[in-house]
Amino acid sequence: MTTNMINYRLTWTDTSGRPHTAASRYDRPSGEARNEQLEAEGCAEVALRPVKPGE
């Protein structure tokens, strides 16, 4: 049985309106924790999306 590792990337807009994309990739639990941190800081349009290998 093969286990596939799925990586996720975060995108968000900061409080000044500037869009950002995370330079690092996250596993799902880490990405969700960072998502919550960004929302607590007042960032908008926070999205956690899966990325393909090499993307």
Side-chain angles (χ1 to χ4, degrees), residues 43-55:
C43 297
E45 300 176 22
V46 182
L48 182 65
R49 64 177 185 86
V51 293
K52 297 176 184 171
E55 184 179 344

Side-chain angles (χ1 to χ4, degrees), residues 10 26-37 48:
L10 280 163
Y26 298 89
D27 61 2
R28 184 128 186 123
S30 298
E32 289 173 349
R34 181 67 178 135
N35 185 336
E36 291 173 7
Q37 290 173 343
L48 182 65

Side-chain angles (χ1 to χ4, degrees), residues 16-33:
S16 67
R18 174 183 261 174
H20 295 275
T21 301
S24 59
R25 293 177 290 183
Y26 298 89
D27 61 2
R28 184 128 186 123
S30 298
E32 289 173 349

